[in-house]
Amino acid sequence: MSQSTARRAAEWTIIAACGWALVAGVGAGPAGAAERYAAWLANGRRISAPRLSAWHTPATLRLQGDDEKSQLRLIRDRQAKVQLKPPYLLLANGDVLTGSPVQLEPDLGRQGIMPRVRVQLEGMLPVSGTGVAIRTDRIARIVGSAEASLRQEPPPGTVQLADGRRLIGRSIKWREYGLAVLTSDGIVEANYPDIVDAVFLVDQTAAVLDDNLVAASASGGGSAAIVRFQLTSGATITASLISREQERSRRSRRSGVELTTYYYAQPAWADHPLALPEKDVAWCGYREADEAPLALLPAKLVASQRLVGGGPIWQRSAAGGALGSDASAGGLPASGSWETDLGLATHSHSELEFELPPGAKQLHTTVGMDRAVGAGGCVRCRIAADEPRGQTLWDSGILLGSAEPKSTGPIDVTGHRRVVLITEFAHDDRPPAADPLDIRDQVVWLAPIVELDLDRSEHLPAALVSAADWQVSGVDVEKAQIAARWNEFASAWDPLLVLPRGTQLTFTRRLAVTRTSDIVELLTACPLELDEHEFELLCISGGGLRADGKRVASQLSLTPEIQRQWLRFRGRPSSRDEIDKSYLTDRLAYWWDLSEWRGQVVTLELVIRGRRERNEITWRGLSIRSAIANLPAIGEPLPSDVPLTSLTPLSATSGRARVLPLRNGLPGDRGGDRFAQPIRFLGQAYYGGYGMAYSSSISFELAPEYRRFVAVAGCPLFVAGPMQVLIDGKVAWERPLMHGMDPAEQIDIPIPAGAKTLTLQTGPESSYTGLAAFAEAGFVTKP
């Protein structure tokens, strides 16, 4: 078999593996040019087909027998038209999310958890719920209206409002329903609907690396595809956690059932997947888990000079395509027969400096004249290390529009912090027939890729939700893996920390313990076996020796019996007439109470061990928090003059739960104070009050000198509500539902003159096993 025949056979192999339904031609000739779908491999080879069975294609396939890397880089629908219209969000990793921010998600006092803002989507759907919550630190820009200046991005801190005001903020803070902009004249509050344009200072490198870390976890540390979906609506979504799903919907009685295909894609900047309509996909770009696009990394124009004409000296691929590229490429950067979804456009003379991410090993790209200039233009391109006058890592020689693009091959960038892409005039060696000066000297750098070494000890905390404030140590770090698993109940992928038998990891951090930071919380999922988790927290006070560490006892959000019920219940379809099972959930929290060390700076060591052959720990967050969400300014719960527990109740009812409210404890299966568990909010013990079961109440007589009623109200277990405080039968305070994994609330209620009774009650809306509690409760007699 000849070499060309072997390559052709290999191309058919990769096409079949990638899901192409029918292939009519291979190559860039006239036979393939009319096909609807076109694909490009990493070596620049172009493949055409009239139909495509699926877009979600692995990027790691290579042509057998080829010496150079030839995995799939791009598939595009030549008939698709991309049009991006506001409102939308630009993400720091280059993604575009069409929609508007509507509300900041409550953080519930968690420290170390990046705030999320809920976005009402346009052009796509959330897999569950009415919107999607995304990380605020990954939002680079809000474009709320077509009035925003899209040709030239304003500097970070710029906020343009619908009333015409243009603010230059020293800082921008996210609020529940808008932004707070600190300007030289003071703080300006702006609601989300009033924002025309807002630009944030973001960490582009960290955002791009997030995609790599999630991709590396998608197959348990192996190589996985990173897919960049471009939708006709202008949305751009990068993800490696992807599934192709078909949903049935009834159109009408006559038309019957319609099948709609979606790609469930969960980006690194979201905790839940998006449903991308397959019919709206315009193109998809592909890269491997260890490949980061240089075009999306931080860049700085070091030098530029134009001899004739105007226009931008350089440009990244823009949302919906690269501005100024050849129209025949559909807005994609193109040179010769090559096209890419991620590229750079430069003009002579320019020197463009890029920051390399940690662990950068190699750089490779292909350079050519922009297809739009035809046979014109004449330049010389170089890649220099660290600075423009640094070591030349690659030199293109003379580049002409009439020539094919040139590949750099792999360039070793190990140990370098930056690379500089230089586009020169090439006056000295310019051929006689070439354009003079810098006419049509427009260059395209096609798919510049940085290959990374994803060292686990360096990237492991960043790959785990909210663990970036902790340092990971131990001889077994290299044995740990990050994986992902689909969660049917949450309709999302969960990150997993995978440890083999005998493995031990230690997460360490320093912490100043106060009333607002005296609980360590590890969010996970109920394991298949109750003894599968082995966590231990040590608290070392005063920066002393390791031997000074004291083991802190953990409290769980689920009782062992409820965990057993969950394990029996999971995966079993529920009957319509079945009793309420809402309290059965896979959500599990470990809480460690640090109240003993309040006022001290301590070192925390969280030790995680693997006792089974393979230990898969669902990792949903590691944070520091307080048991009370709204502590007063004094930093302590409000004191009372007359403790509630010192009074004799007027009456108490048990409702359907048949358990009376219990003083200084939680009602359980066995009555009596000596069998009761203490009142706990987020695992922290509280006293001076009453624990209350489902649909119960307790009343007290009010003395004339009582001015206010104070208490810490919350739900120690599952869900409770509505929780109410009534004065003479009228509701003075109410919360419809309180959750056991949320902090308690400090309440302070004035008592009207002449009032006779105060009643604490919890209603029937809670789960049957839910518990409510009012602790640190009593009456204030002083004005």
Side-chain angles (χ1 to χ4, degrees):
M1 182 183 293
S2 66
Q3 185 177 6
S4 61
T5 305
R7 287 189 174 181
R8 181 66 57 87
E11 286 171 358
W12 280 79
T13 300
I14 192 173
I15 291 166
C18 291
W20 292 77
L22 178 64
V23 179
V26 177
E35 303 292 355
R36 177 172 179 176
Y37 295 96
W40 284 264
L41 307 181
N43 59 7
R45 201 165 306 155
R46 181 182 183 276
I47 307 170
S48 299
R51 291 190 296 275
L52 184 68
S53 61
W55 288 94
H56 177 212
T57 307
T60 55
L61 297 176
R62 291 179 169 84
L63 294 182
Q64 298 176 357
D66 266 358
D67 294 332
E68 60 179 315
K69 187 178 285 189
S70 54
Q71 73 268 30
L72 186 66
R73 284 299 187 197
L74 174 69
I75 302 177
R76 63 170 283 236
D77 181 354
R78 295 167 56 86
Q79 298 179 9
K81 304 296 182 184
V82 176
Q83 187 175 18
L84 176 62
K85 296 181 179 179
Y88 58 85
L89 306 178
L90 296 180
L91 284 305
N93 71 334
D95 284 359
V96 181
L97 184 64
T98 48
S100 304
V102 292
Q103 185 177 2
L104 191 67
E105 296 279 279
D107 61 15
L108 301 175
R110 290 187 176 96
Q111 302 175 27
I113 299 289
M114 187 54 58
R116 265 69 169 168
V117 64
R118 184 157 295 276
V119 176
Q120 190 70 37
L121 301 175
E122 297 186 14
M124 66 190 83
L125 299 169
V127 170
S128 62
T130 59
V132 62
I134 68 174
R135 292 176 52 166
T136 55
D137 65 329
R138 294 297 181 250
I139 299 176
R141 189 176 185 184
I142 299 174
V143 179
S145 168
E147 299 175 15
S149 176
L150 301 181
R151 290 287 175 174
Q152 184 175 2
E153 182 174 311
T158 304
V159 178
Q160 183 179 347
L161 303 180
D163 60 9
R165 285 182 294 170
R166 184 181 175 88
L167 310 175
I168 305 298
R170 297 175 179 175
S171 67
I172 302 177
K173 300 294 184 183
W174 291 85
R175 296 287 186 255
E176 185 176 7
Y177 296 109
L179 300 176
V181 186
L182 176 61
T183 70
S184 57
D185 298 325
I187 298 177
V188 178
E189 300 278 351
N191 292 330
Y192 294 129
D194 297 329
I195 297 173
V196 172
D197 196 4
V199 184
F200 303 86
L201 182 64
V202 293
D203 189 337
Q204 289 178 263
T205 300
V208 171
L209 287 180
D210 281 347
D211 295 330
N212 297 100
L213 296 174
V214 173
S217 73
S219 59
S223 183
I226 300 176
V227 184
R228 191 170 187 260
F229 291 90
Q230 176 66 61
L231 304 185
T232 54
S233 64
T236 306
I237 304 298
T238 301
S240 52
L241 301 173
I242 307 166
S243 65
R244 186 173 184 265
E245 307 291 338
Q246 289 187 328
E247 297 184 5
R248 297 175 181 270
S249 60
R250 182 171 293 279
R251 292 181 294 181
S252 66
R253 184 171 298 178
R254 291 184 178 181
S255 302
V257 175
E258 179 182 25
L259 281 178
T260 304
T261 302
Y262 293 95
Y263 290 96
Y264 288 2
Q266 185 167 318
W269 38 260
D271 297 328
H272 290 82
L274 306 169
L276 313 180
E278 186 175 62
K279 63 180 180 60
D280 294 340
V281 178
W283 61 74
C284 278
Y286 306 86
R287 63 183 189 270
E288 295 186 14
D290 62 349
E291 295 180 332
L294 188 73
L296 298 178
L297 295 174
K300 180 175 68 174
L301 186 61
V302 179
S304 66
Q305 183 181 3
R306 293 292 288 261
L307 300 178
V308 295
I313 292 290
W314 79 280
Q315 196 167 14
R316 303 179 196 264
S317 296
L323 301 175
S325 290
D326 183 43
S328 66
L332 289 169
S335 179
S337 60
W338 291 36
E339 295 178 14
T340 183
D341 65 323
L342 285 171
L344 295 162
T346 61
H347 197 283
S348 62
H349 174 83
S350 63
E351 299 171 2
L352 194 58
E353 181 182 277
F354 284 87
E355 295 284 341
L356 290 173
K361 296 192 303 181
Q362 290 185 340
L363 167 68
H364 52 84
T365 184
T366 300
V367 189
M369 304 302 295
D370 194 319
R371 186 188 292 172
V373 307
C378 179
V379 299
R380 187 186 191 104
C381 293
R382 289 192 302 116
I383 299 177
D386 297 315
E387 59 178 352
R389 288 176 294 279
Q391 175 190 358
T392 297
L393 302 176
W394 179 80
D395 191 323
S396 70
I398 297 297
L399 283 178
L400 298 172
S402 57
E404 279 294 304
K406 293 184 179 181
S407 173
T408 64
I411 301 172
D412 186 5
V413 294
T414 304
H416 296 298
R417 298 180 59 187
R418 304 175 190 85
V419 290
V420 185
L421 308 187
I422 303 172
T423 306
E424 299 177 339
F425 289 129
H427 288 312
D428 297 338
D429 301 320
R430 186 180 298 265
D435 291 335
L437 302 175
D438 59 349
I439 297 174
R440 296 195 288 182
D441 281 1
Q442 187 164 322
V443 172
V444 174
W445 305 73
L446 296 149
I449 291 292
V450 180
E451 291 191 19
L452 306 171
D453 178 13
L454 297 177
D455 179 72
R456 290 194 183 120
S457 62
E458 181 178 354
H459 296 293
L460 186 63
L464 297 173
V465 176
S466 68
D469 293 334
W470 299 71
Q471 289 76 46
V472 183
S473 61
V475 296
D476 299 324
V477 170
E478 294 301 322
K479 299 178 183 178
Q481 291 184 347
I482 305 297
R485 179 170 57 202
W486 177 256
N487 185 329
E488 288 287 348
F489 300 93
S491 296
W493 278 274
D494 277 332
L496 303 176
L497 175 60
V498 182
L499 302 177
R501 182 187 293 275
T503 303
Q504 176 174 307
L505 293 183
T506 301
F507 291 76
T508 306
R509 67 165 294 171
R510 295 279 286 173
L511 178 69
V513 183
T514 67
R515 285 298 301 243
T516 61
S517 60
D518 57 3
I519 293 174
V520 177
E521 178 186 73
L522 175 60
L523 290 177
T524 179
C526 182
L528 298 181
E529 300 290 340
L530 298 184
D531 63 347
E532 186 173 341
H533 288 173
E534 187 175 350
F535 306 140
E536 180 183 59
L537 184 74
L538 298 174
C539 185
I540 307 171
S541 60
L545 299 176
R546 174 67 178 77
D548 295 336
K550 179 178 180 180
R551 187 178 186 274
V552 186
S554 65
Q555 300 292 328
L556 274 66
S557 61
L558 296 179
T559 64
E561 176 55 33
I562 297 301
Q563 291 185 60
R564 293 186 186 95
Q565 289 187 40
W566 160 254
L567 294 174
R568 292 193 297 266
F569 175 77
R570 64 189 300 272
R572 180 174 61 83
S574 59
S575 168
R576 178 174 300 188
D577 299 327
E578 190 173 39
I579 63 172
D580 175 38
K581 295 289 185 180
S582 60
Y583 64 91
L584 293 180
T585 174
D586 74 330
R587 293 194 307 163
L588 177 62
Y590 285 80
W591 292 308
W592 289 273
D593 182 7
L594 305 180
S595 57
E596 178 183 342
W597 292 273
R598 287 175 188 155
Q600 301 181 42
V601 177
V602 300
T603 298
L604 301 177
E605 290 185 358
L606 176 62
V607 181
I608 301 178
R609 299 183 181 93
R611 64 168 65 184
R612 298 175 177 272
E613 199 63 35
R614 177 181 170 89
N615 303 268
E616 295 183 348
I617 301 165
T618 301
W619 193 280
R620 294 177 178 168
L622 178 62
S623 62
I624 306 295
R625 60 189 313 195
S626 171
I628 305 174
N630 60 335
L631 273 172
I634 60 174
E636 298 284 342
L638 295 175
S640 63
D641 300 313
V642 181
L644 194 68
T645 52
S646 67
L647 303 176
T648 301
L650 283 175
S651 63
T653 65
S654 60
R656 285 179 287 173
R658 299 181 181 178
V659 179
L660 291 173
L662 187 63
R663 183 180 63 178
N664 286 330
L666 296 176
D669 297 332
R670 296 176 293 177
D673 289 2
R674 67 190 184 92
F675 296 111
Q677 294 290 324
I679 295 171
R680 292 187 185 274
F681 300 127
L682 303 187
Q684 193 170 86
Y686 280 78
Y687 300 92
Y690 285 84
M692 305 173 68
Y694 171 87
S695 199
S696 60
S697 67
I698 187 168
S699 298
F700 297 86
E701 183 179 5
L702 293 175
E705 64 269 19
Y706 295 169
R707 302 293 185 91
R708 301 189 336 266
F709 174 71
V710 296
V712 176
C715 173
L717 190 64
F718 304 126
V719 180
M723 288 182 61
Q724 297 174 327
V725 177
L726 288 75
I727 298 179
D728 289 343
K730 295 183 179 179
V731 176
W733 174 90
E734 179 182 32
R735 291 295 176 265
L737 281 179
M738 299 192 81
H739 296 265
M741 297 184 72
D742 295 341
E745 179 179 340
Q746 172 73 66
I747 61 176
D748 184 3
I749 303 171
I751 298 176
K756 302 299 183 183
T757 61
L758 179 139
T759 301
L760 311 178
Q761 71 179 28
T762 178
E765 299 299 324
S766 59
S767 63
Y768 187 80
T769 53
L771 298 176
F774 295 86
E776 305 283 343
F779 298 100
V780 177
T781 60
K782 300 173 184 177

